[in-house]
Structures are given as structure tokens and as C-alpha cells.
């Protein structure tokens, strides 16, 4: 079995040169991190690129094994999960909030009476309650 650093280089070689993470980091940036031997940074950026760019099962296997060797359990588990997703297929959706001017609601949410019930009066009993 190759060492973690070789595995990371192999995973990098599976990416096209124009692949980039959402934060703008590129394959070229990863190469610079390798030169500086910033291995945890290399792993993190490769994970970020893989999360937004279509990659193979092999890519995630390489990263999972590298993370295991580096004793980065959370990263290992994430890579194993992403490998499973690639192998079995998933639908990923990115949710974001829109501004009030773009959304449908034009007023604030209803106030509660402190009981945690929206829109009810503190003096009006709920159906089926004993008062």
C-alpha cells in the first residue's frame, strides 16, 4: 500500500486541470500545497473539489485511505460516504435563502405568546385541554 502522500498525488492526477472548489482553490493550488508539504490542506482542498466536481469512486477511495493513514477520522468517514454516493448514486441539492424582496413573505413571522404556540392567545384554551 502506498503512503498517504502518494495517494493524495494519485487522487490529484485524476482531476482535470480546470477543476476548482467553490472557494476558488484550484488543482494548481493543491500542487503548491504539495510542494510545501501541507498534507492536511491538500486533503481538505481535494475533498472540496470532489464535492463540487464529478469524480470517480477511485478518487474517494484514495482520499479515504490517505485520511485513514493520516489519522483524520472525520475526513476518512466523509470520503467513504462520498465514495458510497458515487457508487450507488445520489441527488445533491444546495439550498440557499433568498432575500425578502425575492421571496413571497412580506411580513415578519407571527409572534408567539411565550408558550411556543404561534398565533394562539394565552387565554384561549386549545381544544381538548383542561382549563
Amino acid at each position: 500500500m502506498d503512503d498517504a502522500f502518494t495517494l493524495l498525488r494519485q487522487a490529484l492526477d485524476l482531476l482535470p486541470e480546470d477543476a476548482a472548489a467553490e472557494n476558488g482553490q484550484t488543482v494548481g493550488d493543491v500542487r503548491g500545497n504539495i510542494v510545501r508539504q501541507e498534507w492536511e490542506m491538500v486533503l481538505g482542498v481535494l475533498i472540496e473539489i470532489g464535492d463540487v466536481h464529478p469524480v470517480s469512486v477511485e478518487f474517494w477511495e484514495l482520499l479515504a485511505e490517505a485520511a485513514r493513514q493520516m489519522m483524520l477520522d472525520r475526513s476518512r468517514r466523509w470520503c467513504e460516504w462520498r465514495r458510497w454516493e458515487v457508487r450507488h448514486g445520489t441527488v445533491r441539492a444546495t439550498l440557499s435563502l433568498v432575500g425578502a424582496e425575492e421571496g413571497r413573505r412580506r411580513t415578519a413571522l407571527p409572534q408567539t405568546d411565550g408558550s411556543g404556540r404561534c398565533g394562539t392567545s394565552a387565554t384561549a384554551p386549545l381544544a381538548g385541554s383542561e382549563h
Side-chain angles (χ1 to χ4, degrees), residues 110-126:
Q111 295 293 318
T112 66
D113 61 4
S115 68
R117 293 178 256 152
C118 277
T120 61
S121 167
T123 57
L126 294 175

Side-chain angles (χ1 to χ4, degrees), residues 2-114:
D2 291 322
D3 64 33
F5 317 119
T6 300
L7 297 172
L8 292 172
R9 287 186 190 98
Q10 290 171 355
L12 178 63
D13 289 341
L14 295 175
L15 296 172
E17 283 300 316
D18 64 343
E22 282 186 341
N23 64 10
Q25 290 186 303
T26 66
V27 167
D29 296 325
V30 175
R31 292 189 197 289
N33 291 331
I34 288 174
V35 168
R36 291 185 296 280
Q37 297 184 354
E38 296 175 350
W39 300 110
E40 285 187 47
M41 180 70 77
V42 169
L43 176 63
V45 175
L46 287 174
I47 289 171
E48 289 183 30
I49 291 173
D51 283 342
V52 297
H53 188 79
V55 293
S56 65
V57 169
E58 180 185 7
F59 176 85
W60 291 113
E61 287 173 344
L62 291 167
L63 294 189
E65 178 57 23
R68 186 193 67 75
Q69 289 183 24
M70 295 166 69
M71 294 190 272
L72 299 171
D73 192 55
R74 185 174 183 196
S75 294
R76 177 193 56 80
R77 286 182 283 131
W78 179 253
C79 294
E80 288 173 350
W81 173 252
R82 295 292 283 128
R83 175 187 61 202
W84 185 93
E85 287 183 327
V86 170
R87 182 172 285 141
H88 298 284
T90 58
V91 174
R92 290 192 154 261
T94 301
L95 304 177
S96 59
L97 297 175
V98 296
E101 64 282 351
E102 298 174 50
R104 292 179 44 172
R105 181 173 288 283
R106 299 287 183 227
T107 60
L109 293 172
Q111 295 293 318
T112 66
D113 61 4

